[in-house]
Amino acid sequence: MKKETIQPAKHLTGGLDLPGDKSVSHRYAMLAALAEGTSELRRFSAAADCHSTLACVSALGAEVKTDKDTVRVTGGGLGGLKRSWRALDAGNSGTTMRLLSGILAGQQFSSKLTGDDSLQKRPMKRVIGPLREMGADIRARDDNFAPLEIRGAQLKAIDYRMPMASAQVKSAVLLAGLFADGVTSVTEPARTRDHTELALEEFGAAVEKDVRTIRIHGRGANGGGKLIAKSLDVPGDLSSAVFFIAAASLFPDSNVLIHNVGLNPTRTAILDVFASMGASIQILGLKSAHGEVVGDLAVKGASLKGGVIAGGQIPLLIDELPMLAALGPYTEEGVEIRDAAELRVKESDRIAALAENLQRMGASVEERPDGLKVQGRHAGKLRGAEIEPRGDHRIAMAFAVAGLAAEGNTVIRDADCAGVSFPTFFKELNRLAEH
Ligand code: S3P
């Protein structure tokens, strides 16, 4: 359990290359395992979560070879996976468990999926429900929690109207749809990240999109039946970039250039929020890469206004809310987050973790069932404190950033948990921050 000490900084300067996007890496690894041939996935995420996915697909019979950040995955086609006699371990990764459940539901064999203590507390009913409708036999603790036992079956195509805006649920159903006997559709109540749809198209699946409905042709349907190996570059992870955008924004003399960041429009709501708060972010060199969009971000210091984040914005920037909340005390009006009860079932109860740690630093915070209200600058300067991230990578990183502009040192307990998404985070933060 390593501790990291954050000293007050004067500004951040320099260039930064990020690890590959976590969401995209998971999808490329899973689809490569279902494709015929060897896929080369360059700049694959260094995140522990994505390496949990690689370990799972390898246990299911795909060949996985890693050479620095290039991963080669050889799959045996849609019918090529084999039973794993060991339980599949998703570690801390909700995306691994939920997306893989969709794939395992369509296999001719049974699987057991488990994860760490945090993951065993996260709700799985949201994927169990639709996968059962498709014909899978799934057992779970209290019918909701891992370990999951998934007895695969010949799946039938369904038209699924998602009750919640979740990219993981949408993806689980679409991946199961690959193995179904017809055309499966998913209709989302609000837009969520669309990496699964884009990746399915890249690997050659027959996918159609129509406003909020996505259709996939299954093995038994016209046009379905085959995925082909691909060579792909994973864009840099915008959700990791956000910690550096926030850190640079805190100091007037900052100047940071973040290279090759994934700017898929279903992920960039956070940049709109930063812009509305007065942040100085310039997008340079936009280009498209395998259906995804990438560009460089030039960030300078700014005086942040703060504001309210609520409603349909929430699913589009759910992973960025910890950083926005922790910036609250440095803004003019403070930051209020509403309609985000989902934060309570992430890697930790993020609303409680944010409220507790902000209070440790002397902030004025009101915790609510679906969010929190953090007072702005007028409520006083933050003081360095000892932060308890509750094993949650995004809480650890958000408070490391908040610590840069506090009075005195901030100590992040259990700082290694940042490795779940960004193993080199503290090294990069130390490199760019000048004290
Ligand atoms: C993810 C979707 C989001 C997000 C998670 C990654 C994905 O979860 O919070 O970190 O890769 O599909 P939900 O789909 O549960 O909102």
Side-chain angles (χ1 to χ4, degrees):
M1 295 275 195
K2 206 171 102 202
K3 286 184 179 177
E4 286 281 348
T5 301
I6 306 293
Q7 291 166 6
K10 288 206 196 80
H11 52 87
L12 265 79
T13 4
L16 176 67
D17 282 298
L18 297 165
D21 187 86
K22 190 155 84 76
S23 289
V24 174
S25 296
H26 283 300
R27 284 141 172 99
Y28 284 178
M30 289 184 200
L31 293 179
L34 296 173
E36 287 172 19
T38 302
S39 294
E40 183 173 287
L41 312 177
R42 292 179 290 261
R43 220 145 70 91
F44 190 85
S45 170
D49 273 6
C50 298
H51 285 264
S52 295
T53 289
L54 288 178
C56 289
V57 298
S58 160
L60 289 163
E63 192 183 297
V64 177
K65 287 194 179 142
T66 305
D67 175 13
K68 301 200 188 89
D69 60 359
T70 297
V71 177
R72 289 183 185 80
V73 179
T74 307
L78 280 180
L81 296 185
K82 301 199 173 48
R83 178 173 190 169
S84 166
W85 297 98
R86 279 181 287 119
L88 299 163
D89 187 358
N92 190 245
S93 172
T95 308
T96 307
M97 183 166 283
R98 296 192 178 120
L99 271 57
L100 213 50
S101 294
I103 293 173
L104 295 173
Q107 304 304 313
Q108 311 278 321
F109 52 79
S110 300
S111 309
K112 187 168 176 182
L113 249 176
T114 189
D116 69 7
D117 289 351
S118 149
L119 188 54
Q120 290 190 34
K121 292 190 192 108
R122 297 181 61 190
M124 295 298 145
K125 187 85 191 206
R126 55 184 70 188
V127 291
I128 295 173
L131 295 175
R132 271 188 191 145
E133 267 183 55
M134 296 178 82
D137 178 359
I138 305 183
R139 316 249 155 107
R141 187 171 46 83
D142 293 336
D143 213 30
N144 195 13
F145 302 104
L148 307 180
E149 280 187 36
I150 303 180
R151 218 169 287 171
Q154 175 51 54
L155 300 181
K156 55 176 192 292
I158 59 168
D159 294 310
Y160 188 60
R161 286 196 156 267
M162 277 203 299
M164 63 193 342
S166 162
Q168 294 180 351
V169 175
K170 167 176 69 177
S171 304
V173 177
L174 291 175
L175 290 170
L178 279 173
F179 301 94
D181 59 4
V183 179
T184 296
S185 76
V186 182
T187 302
E188 26 183 19
R191 208 164 177 222
T192 66
R193 63 189 72 192
D194 65 356
H195 304 299
T196 301
E197 299 89 297
L198 295 174
L200 279 164
E201 277 175 349
E202 281 301 307
F203 280 89
V207 186
E208 290 142 24
K209 288 178 248 175
D210 171 18
V211 200
R212 296 271 168 281
T213 300
I214 305 106
R215 288 187 190 81
I216 178 144
H217 292 239
R219 250 207 296 208
N222 199 9
K226 206 165 155 163
L227 300 185
I228 305 290
K230 291 286 290 193
S231 279
L232 299 165
D233 294 293
V234 180
D237 198 326
L238 176 59
S239 297
S240 298
V242 159
F243 297 105
F244 285 86
I245 296 172
S249 298
L250 286 173
F251 308 100
D253 294 335
S254 291
N255 202 342
V256 170
L257 183 62
I258 313 176
H259 306 285
N260 238 321
V261 185
L263 296 173
N264 177 316
T266 60
R267 295 282 293 282
T268 50
I270 181 62
L271 297 183
D272 301 336
V273 168
F274 271 127
S276 74
M277 289 188 177
S280 164
I281 307 171
Q282 221 190 328
I283 299 178
L284 309 166
L286 263 191
K287 55 181 195 243
S288 80
H290 317 298
E292 296 287 346
V293 183
V294 295
D296 298 338
L297 299 179
V299 189
K300 295 206 166 105
S303 173
L304 297 178
K305 276 209 290 280
V308 180
I309 304 131
Q313 285 178 299
I314 297 291
L316 293 170
L317 43 68
I318 187 89
D319 293 340
E320 284 69 68
L321 293 173
M323 187 66 261
L324 288 176
L327 277 180
Y330 296 112
T331 63
E332 199 183 311
E333 299 162 13
V335 167
E336 184 177 345
I337 296 170
R338 290 194 219 131
D339 309 317
E342 181 69 15
L343 281 180
R344 294 205 182 268
V345 289
K346 288 290 179 188
E347 286 84 327
S348 69
D349 176 342
R350 286 183 171 161
I351 296 176
L354 284 164
E356 179 200 331
N357 287 304
L358 278 164
Q359 275 155 4
R360 284 181 185 224
M361 295 185 81
S364 173
V365 192
E366 188 191 324
E367 180 180 343
R368 297 171 178 164
D370 68 338
L372 64 180
K373 184 170 180 174
V374 186
Q375 296 296 332
R377 280 198 284 272
H378 63 88
K381 201 165 177 200
L382 289 191
R383 299 184 298 272
E386 190 142 337
I387 298 300
E388 175 47 64
R390 305 186 180 196
D392 187 330
H393 55 131
R394 297 200 202 278
I395 299 294
M397 293 188 280
F399 282 92
V401 171
L404 291 172
E407 245 163 48
N409 289 352
T410 296
V411 174
I412 312 289
R413 287 185 197 153
D414 182 21
D416 288 343
C417 68
V420 159
S421 63
F422 197 167
T424 53
F425 170 77
F426 286 100
K427 198 174 119 215
E428 296 292 18
L429 195 65
N430 281 330
R431 188 171 64 77
L432 296 193
E434 290 187 24
H435 301 283

